[in-house]
Amino acid sequence: MFCPKLNIIVPCYNEEEMLPKSAPVLAGILNELIEQNQVSKASKICFVNDGSSDNTLSVMKEITQEKSCFAYLSLSRNFGHQAALLAGLFETNADIYVTIDADLQDDPEKIKEMVQKYLAGNDIVYGVRTDRDSDSWFKEKTARLFYRIQGFLGIKTVYNAADYRLMSRRAVDALRAFPEKNLFLRGVIPLLGFQTAQVFYPRTSRIAGKTKYPFLKMFSFALNGIIGFSNIPIRLVTIMGMLISFIGFLLLIWSLYRSFVGGNIQGWASLFSTMTFFNGIIIFSLGVIGEYIGKIFTEVKGRPLFIIDKKVGLD
């Protein structure tokens, strides 16, 4: 009976408090899968150190020395969560891959169900949250707004699915064909087109450490997901520019008419407010265009997504 090799990829940034708690949990799940002949004995739990500034790398070394099922990659600096995920997927060898964050807020027990769905013929299995009770009010509302904006812009994502998922080797190989440097995996992976399934779970609160996604990082992440997948924002800027020009033309005709009939033009305060409003729209539009130009600038430089500093415990 063929037993696929499973690699569980765990991106880590400043997770020295969480790793001693999450490593035994993941090891227990992997051992259970091995004992049930669901996955190969060569399967691994691979931590990816994303340039942590605390003792995360030292903790990884200790954990790896304790059990042979653990391995780690260490990036040369902080490249970001998405790059760390890709490093784990592209730099390790397996038949199936599961990506999960070190905080284990995504139910790790669902890895067993993901493997079952893979064995049933699915190349991609998404972990989908059934609620957002662990989020703050602000995070919940902004997340819902983000999904609505994505839907309006025609961006295909799986609602309430983050980066907890299973991918087969051929799905990962297909992902390699995407040359973008600004990869938004939640939007790219649905584009692969392979057979998919979903597992559902309630998300729990973090038990140690601090969140690695404060507001500014979340905003940047969301903006990257929108700009990288839709031309509609820049098209809206074009339409808005045409509309503003038309309104300006009408105001010009109205002003000339009042001058010819000898009337006094009243309301300079309202005119000033209107000009300020439209100038704000113009500056906003330039900002949107600048975001697209910035993405192009990043892509044409062709710099690597990540650089590996150390690789321990991997084939």
Side-chain angles (χ1 to χ4, degrees):
M1 177 182 175
F2 169 70
C3 289
K5 180 181 177 182
L6 166 66
N7 278 357
I8 301 175
I9 309 300
V10 188
C12 303
Y13 177 69
N14 292 349
E15 293 288 3
E16 63 175 342
E17 295 180 51
M18 193 62 215
L19 279 181
K21 297 178 174 61
S22 57
V25 174
L26 293 172
I29 292 169
L30 183 61
N31 287 335
E32 189 173 337
L33 287 168
I34 293 172
E35 290 172 359
Q36 295 174 354
N37 291 321
Q38 299 292 306
V39 301
S40 165
K41 294 180 180 179
S43 299
K44 294 278 186 177
I45 299 165
C46 179
F47 301 106
V48 182
N49 175 40
D50 186 23
S52 299
S53 57
D54 63 358
N55 293 319
T56 295
L57 182 57
S58 298
V59 175
M60 284 182 184
K61 290 178 181 178
E62 293 176 6
I63 291 172
T64 303
Q65 291 171 355
E66 290 173 2
K67 289 186 179 180
S68 60
C69 67
F70 293 115
Y72 74 85
L73 295 172
S74 185
L75 306 187
S76 61
R77 62 173 176 83
N78 178 246
F79 285 87
H81 182 263
Q82 301 287 278
L85 282 177
L86 290 171
L89 292 172
F90 293 168
E91 296 294 324
T92 65
N93 182 34
D95 299 304
I96 48 177
Y97 304 80
V98 170
T99 55
I100 185 170
D101 289 342
D103 56 25
L104 298 191
Q105 287 184 263
D106 302 308
D107 185 3
E109 289 291 331
K110 289 297 177 178
I111 293 175
K112 303 172 189 175
E113 189 176 342
M114 287 180 171
V115 172
Q116 289 292 328
K117 289 186 180 292
Y118 162 78
L119 295 174
N122 296 285
D123 283 285
I124 301 170
V125 183
Y126 297 102
V128 180
R129 299 169 59 168
T130 55
D131 59 62
R132 305 195 73 94
D133 294 343
S134 61
D135 290 346
S136 65
W137 179 88
F138 178 77
K139 188 172 182 179
E140 178 186 359
K141 298 302 180 185
T142 52
R144 292 185 187 279
L145 177 62
F146 173 62
Y147 281 113
R148 286 173 185 164
I149 292 173
Q150 282 193 317
F152 172 74
L153 297 177
I155 303 170
K156 294 183 179 180
T157 57
V158 179
Y159 185 72
N160 270 350
D163 290 308
Y164 181 31
R165 65 177 74 86
L166 176 147
M167 298 180 69
S168 67
R169 182 199 293 269
R170 73 166 183 159
V172 172
D173 288 341
L175 183 61
R176 293 176 191 267
F178 286 75
E180 295 101 319
K181 304 302 177 185
N182 293 288
L183 274 179
F184 178 68
L185 292 178
R186 300 181 197 184
V188 170
I189 290 175
L191 297 178
L192 299 180
F194 296 120
Q195 184 170 325
T196 66
Q198 298 180 359
V199 298
F200 300 91
Y201 63 94
R203 200 166 197 254
T204 59
S205 300
R206 173 183 274 269
I207 61 173
K210 297 179 180 179
T211 178
K212 305 307 181 294
Y213 268 95
F215 173 73
L216 289 179
K217 273 195 174 182
M218 285 189 347
F219 179 76
S220 177
F221 183 70
L223 192 61
N224 187 45
I226 292 171
I227 298 297
F229 280 85
S230 177
N231 291 328
I232 292 180
I234 204 165
R235 193 170 300 158
L236 291 174
V237 167
T238 303
I239 296 171
M240 193 161 49
M242 294 172 62
L243 180 61
I244 292 172
S245 297
F246 178 69
I247 293 173
F249 176 74
L250 293 180
L251 289 173
L252 176 62
I253 297 298
W254 176 74
S255 299
L256 290 174
Y257 168 75
R258 291 299 300 263
S259 296
F260 281 127
V261 299
N264 294 321
I265 300 177
Q266 303 292 329
W268 287 107
S270 59
L271 180 61
F272 177 77
S273 300
T274 303
M275 290 177 61
T276 302
F277 171 73
F278 285 128
N279 284 335
I281 291 179
I282 292 169
I283 294 171
F284 170 76
S285 301
L286 289 174
V288 173
I289 295 170
E291 286 291 335
Y292 279 94
I293 294 173
K295 298 300 181 188
I296 295 170
F297 179 63
T298 300
E299 295 295 334
V300 298
K301 285 187 293 187
R303 293 176 181 173
L305 281 169
F306 53 83
I307 299 172
I308 302 295
D309 180 36
K310 294 179 182 178
K311 183 185 290 190
V312 177
L314 294 164
D315 299 334

